[in-house]
């Protein structure tokens, strides 16, 4: 029976990308209807704008689910509690703080993680966290708030975030992004940057400017897969970090092990970007990060629970300049 259960798990893993693409495709008719209703005929006639509107429509719906699933890794990452791709109980390095660049802010899925509420230790049950408690921690709810009486405080190495540059050139996302900034109480702290990475330092392009060597932290969560000219832009972002600045990364990457899975991932990638806003499955993102410039420390790895048959393997960790 065990072998059948394993085969079932492998099959589900292999078909999961196709199910996800089908789910994204189901939002296309509704996007057309909404654009016609709102008389945005120019968007309908522009393939690139239509794709952006379609992806925004889908992502607005899906983002909370992503937050719940990825939060069990991303929140500890930003608290300084990951090493070698693993989440650990005690901080092994500093958490985010100071001036931050968030790449791919999108609809604001991660905006609240920059708020002061994450300066407080998160409550966890004695002996480890249950699935519900982990999910609540990812959503910003502590066991103490639930009235628990057997909790201990999980440590965090977070520092106050003084300013965030939220890079999001897709303006269809800005209405939701502004709403999330307001809900998080970050007005005046979180600044939406409506241009690409290549224009961060160009005041003529967006009315603001980020100085090279002025940023304490960069946060990229599942976004480097879709930025244009990724190798050049990763190198560009490196220049904005201060000496000692940190790049917190949680990204899916190219699979480098196993000829069969590498070929399968490449096959899926023939279709995937057309359904998921230009997202690419086969980018060697870790390699590009390592090559961006000299790093004082690199603590990054693959999560332990991602097995060989996962089409979207991830890296999790911190690069310190």
């Amino acid at each position: 029976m065990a072998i059948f259960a394993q085969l079932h798990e492998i099959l589900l893993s292999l078909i999961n990308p196709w199910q996800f693409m089908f789910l994204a495709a189901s939002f296309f008719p509704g996007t057309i209807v909404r654009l016609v209703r709102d008389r945005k005929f120019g968007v309908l006639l522009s393939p690139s704008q239509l794709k952006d509107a379609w992806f925004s429509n889908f992502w607005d719906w899906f983002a909370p689910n992503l937050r719940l699933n990825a939060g069990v890794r991303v929140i500890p990452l930003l608290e300084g509690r990951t090493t070698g791709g693993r989440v650990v109980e005690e901080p092994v390095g500093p958490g985010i703080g100071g001036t931050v660049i968030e790449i791919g802010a999108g609809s604001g899925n991660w905006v609240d993680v920059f708020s002061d509420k994450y300066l407080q230790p998160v409550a966890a049950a004695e002996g480890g966290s249950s699935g519900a408690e982990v999910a609540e921690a990812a959503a910003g709810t502590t066991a103490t708030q639930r009235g628990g009486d057997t909790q201990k405080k999980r440590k965090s190495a977070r520092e106050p975030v003084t300013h965030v540059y939220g890079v999001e050139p897709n303006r269809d996302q800005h209405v939701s992004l502004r709403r999330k900034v307001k809900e998080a109480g970050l007005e005046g702290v979180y600044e939406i940057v409506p241009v690409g990475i290549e224009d961060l330092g160009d005041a003529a392009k967006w009315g603001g400017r980020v100085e090279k060597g002025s940023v304490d932290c960069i946060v990229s969560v599942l976004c480097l897969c879709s930025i244009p000219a990724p190798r050049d832009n990763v190198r560009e972002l490196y220049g904005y970090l201060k000496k000692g600045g940190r790049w917190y990364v949680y990204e899916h990457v190219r699979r480098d092990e196993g000829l069969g899975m590498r070929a399968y991932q490449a096959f899926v990638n023939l279709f995937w970007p057309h359904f998921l806003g230009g997202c690419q499955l086969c980018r060697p993102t870790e390699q590009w990060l390592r090559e961006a410039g000299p790093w004082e420390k690199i603590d990054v790895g693959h999560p332990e629970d991602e097995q060989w048959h996962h089409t979207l393997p991830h890296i999790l960790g911190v690069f310190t300049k």
Side-chain angles (χ1 to χ4, degrees):
M1 294 298 293
I3 190 169
F4 287 110
Q6 185 177 17
L7 288 173
H8 182 257
E9 180 185 352
I10 292 171
L11 179 61
L12 288 178
S13 178
L14 294 177
I15 67 173
N16 178 261
W18 304 100
Q19 293 175 317
F20 196 62
M21 284 187 277
F22 178 81
L23 180 62
S26 70
F27 280 76
F28 187 74
T31 302
I32 297 293
V33 170
R34 189 178 67 178
L35 291 172
V36 171
R37 183 193 62 204
D38 295 342
R39 300 181 180 276
K40 295 184 177 181
F41 302 115
V43 176
L44 286 169
L45 297 174
S46 168
S48 62
Q49 291 184 52
L50 178 57
K51 280 187 175 182
D52 284 346
W54 169 26
F55 182 68
S56 295
N57 191 22
F58 167 64
W59 206 248
D60 283 347
W61 175 84
F62 180 72
N65 297 294
L66 174 69
R67 169 64 184 263
L68 191 62
N69 292 325
V72 295
R73 293 172 179 166
V74 173
I75 302 302
L77 170 69
L78 303 184
E79 290 176 340
R81 295 192 302 104
T82 64
T83 183
R86 296 179 296 108
V87 173
V88 294
E89 288 297 320
E90 300 287 329
V92 293
I96 59 168
T99 300
V100 179
I101 293 178
E102 182 191 13
I103 307 301
S107 59
N109 203 32
W110 299 102
V111 162
D112 76 293
V113 303
F114 303 107
S115 68
D116 286 350
K117 75 178 182 181
Y118 281 95
L119 293 175
Q120 303 300 319
V122 179
E126 295 286 353
S129 300
S130 70
E133 287 157 350
V134 168
E136 288 175 352
T141 303
T142 69
T144 300
Q145 291 169 328
R146 292 185 288 106
D149 56 5
T150 61
Q151 284 73 30
K152 61 182 178 181
K153 295 294 186 181
R154 191 182 71 224
K155 293 182 180 179
S156 169
R158 282 281 304 268
E159 299 175 355
V161 172
T162 56
H163 196 86
V164 183
Y165 295 101
V167 181
E168 182 47 66
N170 183 353
R171 294 175 185 268
D172 288 329
Q173 303 270 22
H174 288 184
V175 172
S176 175
L177 182 53
R178 280 192 290 269
R179 183 177 70 253
K180 296 291 181 58
V181 170
K182 183 176 181 179
E183 290 172 355
L186 290 173
E187 292 173 300
V189 174
Y190 194 104
E191 182 177 2
I192 299 174
V193 180
V195 296
I197 294 164
E198 66 278 6
D199 293 323
L200 281 174
D202 190 343
K205 294 290 182 67
W206 59 284
R209 178 180 173 85
V210 184
E211 298 291 340
K212 289 290 183 72
S214 68
V215 174
D216 297 289
C217 302
I218 294 174
V219 174
S220 60
V221 176
L222 302 175
C223 63
L224 298 182
C225 54
S226 57
I227 63 172
R231 194 170 193 168
D232 292 339
N233 277 322
V234 165
R235 191 179 298 113
E236 178 74 7
L237 283 167
Y238 175 89
Y240 286 101
L241 279 175
K242 296 177 178 177
K243 177 66 175 175
R246 301 173 301 281
W247 190 326
Y248 298 80
V249 58
Y250 178 60
E251 299 283 349
H252 66 77
V253 296
R254 182 182 69 189
R255 179 165 288 286
D256 291 325
E257 312 86 19
L259 181 60
M261 278 306 300
R262 287 177 62 184
Y264 182 70
Q265 187 189 55
F267 175 69
V268 173
N269 195 56
L270 294 175
F271 307 92
W272 181 270
H274 303 290
F275 291 85
L276 276 302
C279 172
Q280 298 285 335
L281 297 182
C282 301
R283 288 184 170 177
T285 303
E286 181 179 350
Q287 175 187 330
W288 291 338
L289 284 163
R290 288 178 178 273
E291 295 173 350
W295 297 104
E296 179 181 315
K297 180 181 179 182
I298 298 174
D299 187 350
V300 65
H302 296 279
E304 291 179 314
D305 60 345
E306 293 187 347
Q307 300 183 45
W308 64 266
H309 49 76
H310 283 225
T311 314
L312 279 75
H314 295 82
I315 56 169
L316 176 74
V318 183
F319 292 77
T320 303
K321 187 173 181 179

